[in-house]
Structure formats: C-alpha cells, structure tokens
Amino acid sequence: MSTHSLTDAVEAAKQRYTEANPTSKALHEEATLSLPGGNTRTVLHAGPFPIYMKSGKNHQVISEDGKTYTDLLCEFTAALYGHSNPRLQEAITNVVQTIGMNVGANTRQETLFAREVCSRFALERVRFANSGTEANLHALAAARLFTGKHKVVSFSGGYHGGVLGFRGGAPAKNNVDKQDWVVARYNDLESAKAAIKTEGVAAVIVEGMQGAGGCFAGTIDFLRGVQEAAHDAGVLFILDEVMTSRLSSGGLAQMYGLKPDLKTFGKWLGGGLAIGAFGGRADIMAAFDPRLSTSVAHSGTFNNNTLVTHAGYTGLKELYTSSEAERFTQVGEALRAKLNEVSSGTRMCFTGLGTIMAVHITKCGTREILRASDVEEDQVMMELFWFEMIEQGFWLAKRGFVALILETPQEELDRFVGAVATFVGKYRSELSL
Ligand code: PMP
C-alpha cells in the first residue's frame, strides 16, 4: 500500500468511526460550548472527536453510542480494580451510609491506611494528597526544605504531573518553577551525573519507567547509578511511583533494589478515588510535623477523606495483596511477550513493565528503545492502529498506552493479541523494516 492509500485507509477508518459514534459526536459538540475544545483533561482529547463513555462495569466500558469495550486503558493505571469491584462498592457504600463524608477531623482509618502504605512501600512516614501531581509538588517542597537548596534534576520524556512535564526534553510551558529545572537525558547515567553535580540541586526526581512518556523502563544500572550519584552529592533521590507502585508488592523500588529518600504515589492507590501520597525518610518528612516549631504546613481539605482512606485500604488489604501484585505483573509480562511475538519482524513493538505497556510503530523499526527522543513514531500507522483497535472493541489511549485491569478475562487478552496479529497481517508490507 502506498503512503497515499495508507492515508486513504486512515480517512476511511475515521469515516467509519464517525458513523458508528453519532451520540459521542453530538456530546462533544455540546461540550465545546462550556469546556475549551470540549475538554477538561487534555490526554482524553482525540480527533475527529472523543468517544463518550456512559458507564463502566468490571473490565469493560460502555459508550454513549451503546458499544461495549474491553478497557485496556485502565484509567492510565488508576482503574486497577475495574469499574465495579463489589468489595470496593461495599466499602464506599459503608462510608456513605454509616460513617459519613468530610468529617473535618483525624480518623482512625487514616492511620490504618498510612500504616499499610508505609509497610507495603518501605516508608518511615507518609502524607496523603489528592493527586500524583500534588504528591510530587509536596515531595519537592520537602526536599527543598530539608536541603535548603532549590534546583531539581528531572529527565527528558518524564512526566510527574500537570505542571511537571518534560516530554519535549525541557520543562513544559505551563511548568512550575521553570527556572529551577536541570533536565538530563533518561537512561544516560553520564548526563544524570553531570546534572546532579550542578550547584544548588536539592533533589533528583525520576520515574523507574517513564509511563506517560511511552513506557520506557529505566535500566537497573541507570537507576542505581542515579541513586548513588545523588547520595554522593548530598542530593535527595525521589522515585515517582505514581504508576509503577503496582508492579510488585513493594513497587518498582523493590523490584530494582532501590532505596529512594522519598517516593510518590497516586492513581490506583486510592481504590479508584482521587489520591496522592508521598513519603520516605522520617527526618525529611519531619518538615511537616506540626508539633515542631520549624515545621511548615502541608494542607489539603480532602487529604484524609473518609471515602479514599477506606477504599484505598480495602484495595491494599483485600484485593491487591502482595502476592496478587506479583501474580498480576506476570500476566502483563506474558501478554507483552505475546504482543512482541506477533509483531516481530515489523516496525511495531510493545515496551513496558508488567501490566503497563505501550505500542510503538517507529520509522526506524528498532525494538530496543531507551528513550522517546531516540525514535520517531510513524503517526499515520499509529492512528490507523488506534482506529482499528477501537473498531474491534478495545479501549486504549490514542498514543498507544495500555494498562491492565485485574480480572480481565484471559480470553480478552488473547483476543487483543489476535487483533494485533490481524493488524500486522493486514499491513505487513507497510510495517516492514
Ligand atoms: N507521576 C506519574 C509518573 C504519572 O504517570 C502521573 C499521571 N499520569 C502523575 C505523576 C500525575 O498524577 P495525577 O494525574 O494524579 O496528578
């Protein structure tokens, strides 16, 4: 198929998408009258218009146009427990009916939840917030207070929140503290070491696997090297585990044998409700100990809300236990291996760790990708892939991000492998190296 006919194939797929989803189209048009571009969360925008979901059940989402999808997006890792887990429903209903919301006071439950989070993720102390972005902002504040320094080393392709993005290799235009970042190259230890040695650096913040940046895993040598270089320079090492904490019973730090000074969390940890958490060394977290005259405030109206402290606790204690986390990661590893098998010998590959992965269709066809900036994606093929997967009833991010929901039937994962194999067969010559 020539480039011309490939563009035709995308146009035809768009046409079928538009015809199949008239209600979503109308809802999008209506939304543009009150939300810029009809959107309040940029990542969900998709052309010609996004599909609107009416509901979710277990591992599925059901669109306003009446189509049922297998949810392979998993709310960007946050919907680990699916959309209607009975134990979470029970825990949340119990809060609504018998405990009450917004009690405006300390509760036993926040201690129970904090104790569980500390023990699972090897933290001496933890504090809660309402999003991963917030958790990272507070962790950076803690590092600055502790060291008395202000600069922070981050990595190209990294993402730590709505005002903490580095995808283009520099702080995004709407980043906080734009002048204070030293951006190094991901998976490049020499670059990291040089950045860490910069005068006035308080902390280095890194994802063990860059999630939003394309599911590129840090090598063990790189991550351990960053930890060591930071330690030697008196710079705090912050591991962003917002996504990766679900990859083992103790998160990626445990998998890779890392001992960060601080770790940050969010997404699935709240049992499906809004959450952020940050914690680690007690001496650093003491910055927020209100009994000390030197302390600073860490505030947030909903930090200890009864809904999230119950749902998150139920999830950790009963559903995503340590053994379940280890088992589930193997499910993801097996799926990614199969996806790479059916796409082998082509320009398509799947990167990631455990149940978090991303499809790439690169121009050069390499399968060993260390960082996003090393490859150029074939945007036309990526778009075609997305439209065709949507048509086959798989809900995934337009940029190719995939994360798994617990208890997604193995048959659905196999069906996805089949759909990918069919796509590869149909466009084999366009995908060839
Ligand atoms: N850190 C990482 C690694 C993330 O993937 C995200 C969200 N994609 C965040 C931080 C920000 O979390 P939130 O969207 O809850 O603010």
Side-chain angles (χ1 to χ4, degrees):
M1 209 184 271
S2 65
T3 315
H4 181 64
S5 45
L6 203 53
T7 316
D8 286 349
V10 176
E11 282 314 309
K14 249 185 223 175
Q15 189 64 34
R16 295 196 300 276
Y17 175 98
T18 305
E19 280 161 16
N21 299 293
T23 308
S24 291
K25 184 168 188 287
L27 286 169
H28 171 65
E29 279 158 18
E30 193 184 323
T32 59
L33 301 178
S34 40
L35 298 161
N39 181 285
T40 188
R41 193 175 161 202
T42 304
V43 73
L44 297 181
H45 181 71
F49 55 85
I51 289 175
Y52 278 63
M53 292 301 169
K54 190 175 193 156
S55 59
K57 193 167 190 319
N58 304 327
H59 64 285
Q60 296 173 319
V61 282
I62 300 102
S63 75
E64 289 280 358
D65 295 281
K67 185 161 175 171
T68 299
Y69 296 85
T70 285
D71 184 355
L72 294 178
L73 177 62
C74 186
E75 187 55 294
F76 294 89
T77 70
L80 173 68
Y81 303 111
H83 307 293
S84 51
N85 183 284
R87 265 305 286 134
L88 290 173
Q89 284 179 338
E90 205 181 334
I92 291 168
T93 308
N94 183 41
V95 172
V96 174
Q97 293 184 339
T98 70
I99 294 172
M101 296 177 288
N102 308 330
V103 296
N106 291 118
T107 63
R108 262 172 214 264
Q109 187 63 26
E110 75 199 50
T111 308
L112 282 179
F113 187 34
R115 196 186 296 159
E116 190 59 24
V117 172
C118 284
S119 101
R120 275 288 277 269
F121 299 106
L123 313 173
E124 290 174 354
R125 299 285 186 279
V126 69
R127 278 226 170 196
F128 295 117
N130 298 279
S131 68
T133 306
E134 253 192 81
N136 281 319
L137 289 170
H138 288 302
L140 293 176
R144 286 169 168 151
L145 288 163
F146 190 75
T147 60
K149 296 181 179 155
H150 211 75
K151 290 199 176 118
V152 178
V153 174
S154 63
F155 292 90
S156 56
Y159 183 78
H160 303 287
V163 289
L164 295 164
F166 303 89
R167 268 190 237 153
K173 284 191 186 147
N174 59 347
N175 261 32
V176 284
D177 300 335
K178 276 183 77 174
Q179 68 288 357
D180 292 321
W181 296 100
V182 186
V183 185
R185 236 161 72 107
Y186 194 66
N187 266 336
D188 179 339
L189 188 52
E190 290 315 309
S191 164
K193 280 183 178 169
I196 287 167
K197 281 189 194 138
T198 310
E199 190 58 38
V201 173
V204 50
I205 185 165
V206 66
E207 291 161 90
M209 172 180 68
Q210 292 194 324
C215 294
F216 302 117
T219 65
I220 293 191
D221 286 350
F222 169 69
L223 294 168
R224 288 193 185 155
V226 169
Q227 172 173 276
E228 198 181 306
H231 184 261
D232 291 349
V235 162
L236 298 185
F237 176 49
I238 307 176
L239 188 68
D240 182 334
E241 292 252 39
V242 168
M243 278 193 181
T244 55
S245 49
R246 56 179 256 172
L247 291 176
S248 86
S249 56
L252 184 135
Q254 180 184 290
M255 279 166 75
Y256 281 19
L258 300 170
K259 290 202 169 21
D261 298 302
L262 293 173
K263 297 177 189 173
T264 59
F265 305 87
K267 304 249 187 229
W268 66 279
L269 197 68
L273 301 173
I275 192 161
F278 63 102
R281 277 169 50 186
D283 55 347
I284 303 172
M285 295 299 286
F288 304 113
D289 181 339
R291 298 168 304 178
L292 305 177
S293 59
T294 49
S295 75
V296 299
H298 153 244
S299 310
T301 303
F302 291 101
N303 287 355
N304 66 337
N305 77 82
T306 48
L307 282 170
V308 80
T309 50
H310 279 84
Y313 181 74
T314 303
L316 276 180
K317 280 295 266 193
E318 297 179 31
L319 305 171
Y320 209 55
T321 56
S322 295
S323 57
E324 184 60 359
E326 303 293 343
R327 182 199 68 81
F328 197 45
T329 288
Q330 292 315 312
V331 171
E333 287 294 322
L335 174 67
R336 200 175 77 255
K338 281 189 209 154
L339 292 167
N340 275 322
E341 199 178 299
V342 299
S343 59
S344 72
T346 74
R347 290 188 292 115
M348 173 189 269
C349 70
F350 290 79
T351 61
L353 284 174
T355 54
I356 309 174
M357 60 195 88
V359 58
H360 300 278
I361 306 176
T362 63
K363 291 204 167 157
C364 67
T366 180
R367 301 181 88 76
E368 305 296 326
I369 311 173
L370 285 173
R371 59 188 81 81
S373 58
D374 284 359
V375 289
E376 196 185 337
E377 302 274 355
D378 182 338
Q379 295 300 348
V380 177
M381 286 307 294
M382 285 290 284
E383 200 176 13
L384 189 58
F385 177 73
W386 186 75
F387 279 121
E388 297 214 359
M389 292 306 108
I390 291 288
E391 254 181 308
Q392 297 302 315
F394 295 107
W395 184 242
L396 63 156
K398 202 159 188 188
R399 63 170 182 240
F401 183 87
V402 165
L404 303 186
I405 287 177
L406 271 176
E407 291 170 27
T408 302
Q410 186 58 46
E411 307 85 76
E412 275 308 294
L413 301 182
D414 294 343
R415 193 171 76 81
F416 181 54
V417 174
V420 171
T422 303
F423 182 85
V424 168
K426 190 167 162 191
Y427 300 105
R428 184 162 288 281
S429 61
E430 292 73 22
L431 289 169
S432 68
L433 296 164

